[in-house]
Amino acid sequence: MGLNASLPLLFLTLLLVFSTVVTADNVTRAFEKYSNFSTMSDLLIKTKLTPLISKYQTITILAVSNDAISSITNRSAIELKNILMTHVILDYYDELKLNGLKEKSIMLTTLYQTTGLGEEMNGFLNCTKSKGRVYFGSEVKGSPLTSEYVTTLYHNPFNLSIIQISMPIVAPGLSLAVFPPPPPPVPLAPAPSPMNVATAPSPAPTNAATAPAPGPADEANASDSAVPKPKPATESQEVDSPAPVPSADNEKMEAAADKTKPTSSSACKAGLKFDIVLLLAFFASFAWF
């Protein structure tokens, strides 16, 4: 009786252990069966998401075909990793479970939300069933639901499921700005060869004769600058210097000079006597005749 009761518990324990091993080891093996999803498998390995996925016992991967995923393969490594993490749902969904959904929308938690970097609900997905079809999109307000469920590629119930969607989901805030490549550098002009430098005409010398003659204004300016302007006389120059005081030697020399010079009165007397003599001689000459 006790053995029969322990068998279901043992079976459940083995199932959990087996499921954990499958999740850890066979994520890429599940893609190997579908060559049309080789790009998706390679990107999961390149971004090192496979070891991170293996830490969870319940995972659903939204896979995109090689043709559809080409629209995001040119992104940077960080962008690509963030986008792919939103394609990993921390729950189990397969075709049976999706068909059982009612006509409503549900919110799904993705692997990106566990990083703590999620903003404005970009770590969650919106899954909506409308008119029998299932659509996926970002939970960010205003995001379109353009990625449609196609089929289930692989499923290990309540452990690992890989389902195909029509196109990748790029949530706002996960994709960094992609700048255009810089323009090619402008080629530099080749350096002139020595022969070209030798044959190059030398610049014509400047001829002083051909220089324009200075105008009247220039001559006026030149004359003003060449002729020094007289400085205004100071007050000390206008004051007459005092007359020199005659010394004793100077007085003696002047007295001697005065003695050698005939006085003005004696000169006048001598001149008068000479005139009288001439007058008498004149009258005597008339008397003679």
Side-chain angles (χ1 to χ4, degrees), residues 86-105:
T86 61
H87 289 67
V88 180
I89 301 172
L90 303 183
D91 202 349
Y92 179 85
Y93 288 91
D94 57 9
E95 184 175 2
L96 181 63
K97 189 173 181 177
L98 292 175
N99 289 334
L101 293 176
K102 296 181 180 179
E103 299 282 329
K104 64 177 183 178
S105 298

Side-chain angles (χ1 to χ4, degrees), residues 95-265:
E95 184 175 2
L96 181 63
K97 189 173 181 177
L98 292 175
N99 289 334
L101 293 176
K102 296 181 180 179
E103 299 282 329
K104 64 177 183 178
S105 298
I106 59 175
M107 185 174 66
L108 308 176
T109 304
T110 68
L111 186 60
Y112 181 74
Q113 183 63 24
T114 63
T115 62
L117 302 175
E119 296 180 354
E120 299 181 357
M121 305 296 289
N122 59 5
F124 298 92
L125 293 183
N126 184 331
C127 178
T128 299
K129 186 175 183 181
S130 175
K131 298 180 180 181
R133 295 185 177 183
V134 179
Y135 300 92
F136 294 91
S138 175
E139 187 65 25
V140 177
K141 185 178 180 179
S143 298
L145 296 175
T146 54
S147 185
E148 184 179 358
Y149 166 77
V150 180
T151 186
T152 299
L153 301 178
Y154 175 87
H155 65 97
N156 183 12
F158 309 107
N159 178 222
L160 174 64
S161 175
I162 301 176
I163 61 178
Q164 179 185 359
I165 56 177
S166 60
M167 60 184 300
I169 302 169
V170 181
L174 299 182
S175 177
L176 303 178
V178 180
F179 298 99
V186 178
L188 299 176
S193 61
M195 295 185 64
N196 293 336
V197 174
T199 57
S202 59
T206 304
N207 190 358
T210 59
D218 297 336
E219 293 179 356
N221 296 334
S223 61
D224 293 340
S225 60
V227 178
K229 296 182 180 180
K231 297 183 179 179
T234 60
E235 294 180 358
S236 61
Q237 293 177 350
E238 295 178 357
V239 179
D240 296 336
S241 59
V245 178
S247 61
D249 295 337
N250 291 336
E251 290 180 354
K252 292 179 180 181
M253 293 176 66
E254 291 178 357
D258 292 339
K259 291 180 180 181
T260 57
K261 292 181 181 180
T263 62
S264 60
S265 59

